[in-house]
């Protein structure tokens, strides 16, 4: 079971990483803004193909070697887990290294050919688009937090009957494999971590809602519809993730309070089902929606406007992946390489949003 799960996770990472160049807007290639008339340049298409091929082939060869080693050497589960996770990180490092190589090549190609030099750069702002925004309201995201607070109260009531050792870590089979002594704090530590994560998701949804809606200069109607759909599906994905995390953490907490709750099959199946559903939702979101809704067919026909191009904001993207613009009030902004959102490191609040929850969770873990 362990090796199957590790292989499934690694395969998912390989497929997503290899497909990234094709999930983005055609006007963003390896983090570089490309004017519409040059998006089908042969060298750019070759760069995308090379990146995808290298990530996919090396990734598949690596997990094949891992599977052969695991089946023949039959290592201890801990050693196999460490090796499996190391492979997943290795695939991510490989894809990022290739990204930087092709980012440099794409930037050089754009500069040498002076793409867009004869086009007028236009930055469109559609204030009316916000009235059509269908992102979920923050009140919906408060519902999982209410459940968590209720569980904290329930745990406090049952504190005297809790075991003397409180689980702090669970294995891939859903069974606890690390413990700490029972204290009022350790009894609710898992729920506090969940509450921080839920609070972070409320913040992400609200701050994303306030971020700028990017509309393409020469395809206003179509890009507007894609942007609104992208924001709506992003919000739904975030809420579904919050809900699934709440179900998983709540079950683990109830297992601590009521030792015999659920059978062995449920304990084993729940974490695996959680991973499968999260990966399934992410894959559908990435391949059906794409970055900025680029893969959505919105059934809108309009003629492209000639002689203009989108505002080139490459100067604010360090290495094409880190956005730093102190004049942009948006805290969250669409990623340049990947599907989803990243933070504007030019805004001090972004550091609080990015590092605050991590430090709180780390503090709770160290205190246990």
């Amino acid at each position: 079971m362990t090796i199957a799960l590790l292989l499934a996770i690694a395969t998912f990472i390989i497929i997503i990483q290899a497909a990234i160049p094709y999930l983005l807007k055609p006007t963003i290639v390896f983090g570089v803004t490309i004017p519409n008339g040059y998006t089908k340049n042969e060298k750019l298409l070759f760069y995308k193909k090379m990146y995808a091929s290298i990530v996919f082939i090396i990734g598949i060869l690596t997990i094949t070697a891992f599977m052969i080693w695991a089946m023949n050497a039959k290592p201890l589960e801990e050693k196999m887990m460490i090796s499996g996770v190391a492979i997943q990180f290795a695939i991510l490092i490989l894809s990022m290294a290739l990204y930087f190589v092709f980012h440099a090549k794409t930037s050089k190609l754009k500069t040498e050919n002076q793409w867009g030099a004869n086009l007028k750069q236009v930055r469109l702002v559609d204030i009316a688009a916000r009235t059509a925004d269908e992102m979920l309201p923050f009140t919906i995201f408060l519902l999982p937090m209410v459940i968590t607070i209720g569980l904290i109260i329930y745990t406090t009531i049952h504190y005297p009957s809790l075991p003397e050792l409180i689980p702090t870590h669970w294995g891939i089979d859903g069974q606890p494999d690390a413990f700490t002594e029972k204290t009022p704090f350790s009894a609710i530590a898992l729920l506090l971590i969940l509450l921080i994560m839920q609070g972070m998701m409320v913040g992400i949804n609200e701050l994303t809602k306030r971020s700028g809606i990017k509309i393409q200069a020469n395809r206003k109607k179509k890009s507007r519809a894609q942007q609104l759909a992208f924001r709506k599906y992003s919000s739904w994905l975030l809420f579904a993730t919050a809900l699934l995390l709440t179900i998983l953490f709540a079950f683990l907490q109830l297992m601590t309070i009521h030792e015999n709750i659920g059978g062995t099959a449920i304990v084993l199946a729940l974490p695996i089902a959680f991973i499968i559903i999260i990966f399934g939702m992410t894959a559908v979101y990435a391949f059906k929606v794409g970055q900025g809704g680029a893969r959505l067919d919105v059934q809108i026909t309009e003629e492209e406007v000639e002689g203009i191009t989108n505002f080139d904001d490459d100067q604010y993207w360090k290495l094409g992946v880190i956005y730093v613009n102190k004049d942009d009030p948006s805290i969250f902004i669409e990623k340049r390489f990947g599907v989803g959102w990243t933070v504007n490191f030019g805004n001090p609040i972004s550091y609080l949003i990015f590092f605050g929850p991590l430090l709180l969770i780390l503090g709770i873990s160290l205190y246990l």
Side-chain angles (χ1 to χ4, degrees), residues 121-229:
Q121 293 186 23
V122 175
R123 190 205 299 266
L124 282 181
V125 177
D126 185 350
I127 299 175
R130 290 203 176 276
T131 60
D133 200 349
E134 297 181 79
M135 293 184 70
L136 293 170
F138 82 96
T139 49
I140 296 292
F141 282 83
L142 295 181
L143 293 177
M145 299 183 76
V146 171
I147 295 173
T148 304
I149 293 170
L151 280 168
I152 291 175
I153 296 171
Y154 187 75
T155 303
T156 305
I157 294 171
H158 287 80
Y159 181 77
S161 63
L162 293 180
E164 292 304 315
L165 292 177
I166 302 295
T168 56
H169 188 268
W170 288 260
I172 204 166
D173 57 357
Q175 296 294 334
D177 54 14
F179 301 86
T180 188
E181 291 183 5
K182 183 176 81 172
T183 65
F185 180 76
S186 66
I188 61 169
L190 180 70
L191 298 175
L192 292 177
I193 291 174
L194 176 60
L195 205 55
I196 291 168
M197 295 168 72
Q198 291 167 335
M200 183 177 65
M201 290 180 185
V202 175
I204 290 174
N205 188 69
E206 283 306 296
L207 294 172
T208 302
K209 194 185 293 185
R210 297 176 190 179
S211 65
I213 299 177
K214 288 185 175 255
I215 296 177
Q216 294 192 30
N218 53 359
R219 294 189 307 118
K220 289 190 287 187
K221 293 181 180 177
K222 187 172 183 178
S223 65
R224 181 182 187 272
Q226 289 176 325
Q227 273 283 304
L228 291 174

Side-chain angles (χ1 to χ4, degrees), residues 279-294:
F279 281 6
M281 291 192 312
T282 305
V284 170
Y285 173 72
F287 286 98
K288 285 289 185 182
V289 180
Q291 184 58 12

Side-chain angles (χ1 to χ4, degrees), residues 221 299-303:
K221 293 181 180 177
Q299 300 294 324
I300 292 178
T301 304
E302 65 180 332
E303 291 186 7

